[in-house]
Amino acid sequence: MTGLDFSENMIVSAQENSKEYPAASFVIGNALDTKLPDSQYDIILERALVHYISNLQACINEVFRLLKPGGTCIIHDRTPEDCLLEGSPTFKRVSF
């Protein structure tokens, strides 16, 4: 598992909170140009990211570059405002 964030503070926090998971690695990087190897990931989770991205197409292109064929991308993005919205055909809410 590889975690990527542009914030050094977030990387340090993630490293501290995952000490019991030696397979987890974390790097400082840019979601639009991660510098990670092509076609290496089965799943990519983008959490609390897309509302910060000005070039969403570049971000999606990077996801497709990183995913293995048949891989999955999960985008999870919530703001305080959308937490108050009701679900609808155009605004999906998923509970686990």
Side-chain angles (χ1 to χ4, degrees):
M1 186 211 73
T2 304
L4 180 129
D5 199 286
F6 70 93
S7 165
E8 184 176 354
N9 289 339
M10 291 299 286
I11 295 297
V12 169
S13 177
Q15 289 168 330
E16 288 294 316
N17 289 314
S18 63
K19 286 181 180 177
E20 61 196 59
Y21 302 99
S25 65
F26 300 93
V27 295
I28 296 172
N30 182 327
L32 305 181
D33 183 17
T34 64
K35 309 286 191 237
L36 296 170
D38 294 354
S39 305
Q40 295 297 305
Y41 299 92
D42 295 306
I43 299 172
I44 293 178
L45 168 64
E46 292 188 341
R47 183 180 175 277
L49 171 69
V50 295
H51 64 272
Y52 292 111
I53 300 293
S54 59
N55 186 345
L56 193 54
Q57 187 61 56
C59 184
I60 291 179
N61 290 346
E62 183 69 354
V63 166
F64 278 106
R65 185 185 71 75
L66 296 170
L67 282 173
K68 290 179 181 177
T72 299
C73 176
I74 300 168
I75 298 174
H76 178 265
D77 198 51
R78 294 187 69 181
T79 64
E81 294 81 17
D82 84 345
C83 291
L84 301 174
L85 295 174
E86 292 294 323
S88 74
T90 59
F91 185 81
K92 302 295 184 194
R93 288 206 167 272
V94 178
S95 299
F96 296 96

